[in-house]
């Protein structure tokens, strides 16, 4: 029984020989095909995500100037994702603070006193609601301190329900997977051991000299 098990586990010599004779580019092709299939499958299985963005703008009062508004816009962009703002936004968005922390991002411009608030969700309507809720809460907190900052925050554009997903399509993930698979196949091709012709060729042994050759040399 042990001999049968050992014989079954013994690698097929013909299969190994065929693998050794395969052309080098076959590794690249196999890696690209496998990576493309895995990437495409990931794009199909993964649920699409949607992103909605709202914008608020900092406006200086009569006692301030545009430079101050630009500086406060940068500060408000960092404050927008803090717990004080998100705590109020969760009431209007209808989601926990943790969801807002994971889904909302802000961005500012060095040239314009504007703050963009983007929210991502698997539901397009929820993405728009979260972005508008955070913008509303941020505007409220900023205007409560308007007497001290001399800068007012106003809503510039509300977030609308996105009609297209912001996540990559299965075709894009398939191309990314194919590129990654081809790259891995190329790395394997570079690091695999190379066969040397001299090592594989048996050493030649000089044949024994015949008696006629010996007499001729003498």
């Amino acid at each position: 029984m042990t001999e049968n098990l050992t014989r079954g586990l013994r690698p097929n010599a013909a299969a190994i020989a065929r693998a050794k004779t395969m052309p080098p580019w076959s590794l690249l092709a196999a890696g690209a095909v496998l990576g493309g299939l895995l990437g495409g499958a990931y794009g199909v299985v993964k649920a699409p995500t949607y992103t909605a963005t709202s914008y608020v703008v900092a406006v200086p009062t009569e006692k301030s100037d545009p430079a101050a508004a630009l500086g406060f816009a940068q500060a408000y962009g960092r404050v927008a994702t803090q717990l004080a703002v998100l705590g109020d936004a969760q009431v209007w968005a209808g989601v926990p603070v943790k969801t807002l922390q994971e889904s909302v991002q802000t961005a500012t411009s060095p040239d314009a006193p504007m703050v963009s608030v983007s929210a991502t969700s698997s539901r397009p309507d929820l993405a728009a609601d979260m972005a508008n809720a955070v913008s509303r809460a941020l505007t409220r907190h900023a205007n409560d301190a308007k007497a001290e900052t001399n800068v007012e925050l106003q809503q510039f554009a509300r977030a609308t329900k996105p009609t297209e997903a912001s996540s990559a399509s299965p075709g894009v993930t398939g191309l990314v997977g194919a590129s990654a698979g081809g790259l891995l196949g190329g790395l394997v091709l570079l690091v695999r051991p190379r066969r040397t012709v001299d090592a594989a060729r048996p050493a030649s042994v000089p044949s024994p000299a015949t008696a006629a050759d010996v007499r001729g040399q003498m």
Side-chain angles (χ1 to χ4, degrees), residues 10-22:
R10 187 175 299 169
N12 191 339
I16 297 177
R18 286 194 299 269
K20 290 182 177 180
T21 57
M22 291 176 61

Side-chain angles (χ1 to χ4, degrees), residues 30-101:
V33 172
L34 181 59
L37 292 176
L38 293 177
Y42 173 79
V44 172
V45 174
K46 187 177 184 298
T49 56
Y50 299 86
T51 301
T53 304
S54 63
Y55 298 90
V56 293
V57 60
V59 180
T61 62
E62 296 179 355
K63 299 180 180 180
S64 184
D65 52 38
L70 181 60
F72 276 104
Q74 302 289 331
Y76 289 144
R78 294 187 291 269
V79 172
T81 55
Q82 299 300 316
L83 185 60
V85 177
L86 298 182
D88 292 341
Q90 69 172 342
V91 179
W92 298 311
V95 296
V97 173
K98 184 178 180 180
T99 302
L100 293 175
Q101 291 175 333

Side-chain angles (χ1 to χ4, degrees), residues 54-56 73-74 77-78 80 105-109 114-118:
S54 63
Y55 298 90
V56 293
Q74 302 289 331
R78 294 187 291 269
Q105 294 181 349
T106 60
T108 58
S109 171
M114 187 173 294
V115 181
S116 64
V117 180
S118 300

Side-chain angles (χ1 to χ4, degrees), residues 64-174:
S64 184
D65 52 38
L70 181 60
F72 276 104
Q74 302 289 331
Y76 289 144
R78 294 187 291 269
V79 172
T81 55
Q82 299 300 316
L83 185 60
V85 177
L86 298 182
D88 292 341
Q90 69 172 342
V91 179
W92 298 311
V95 296
V97 173
K98 184 178 180 180
T99 302
L100 293 175
Q101 291 175 333
E102 296 174 350
S103 306
V104 176
Q105 294 181 349
T106 60
T108 58
S109 171
D111 303 322
M114 187 173 294
V115 181
S116 64
V117 180
S118 300
T120 303
S121 174
S122 58
R123 291 171 42 193
D125 56 337
L126 182 58
D129 291 343
M130 289 191 296
N132 289 326
V134 174
S135 295
R136 179 180 177 182
L138 178 62
T139 301
R140 179 179 176 179
H141 278 268
N143 292 339
D144 287 343
K146 180 175 61 175
E148 292 79 15
T149 62
N150 295 320
V151 173
E152 181 182 3
L153 202 61
Q154 298 179 0
Q155 188 174 52
F156 183 79
R158 286 179 55 85
T160 58
K161 180 180 176 180
T163 58
E164 296 181 357
S166 58
S167 57
S169 63
V172 174
T173 56

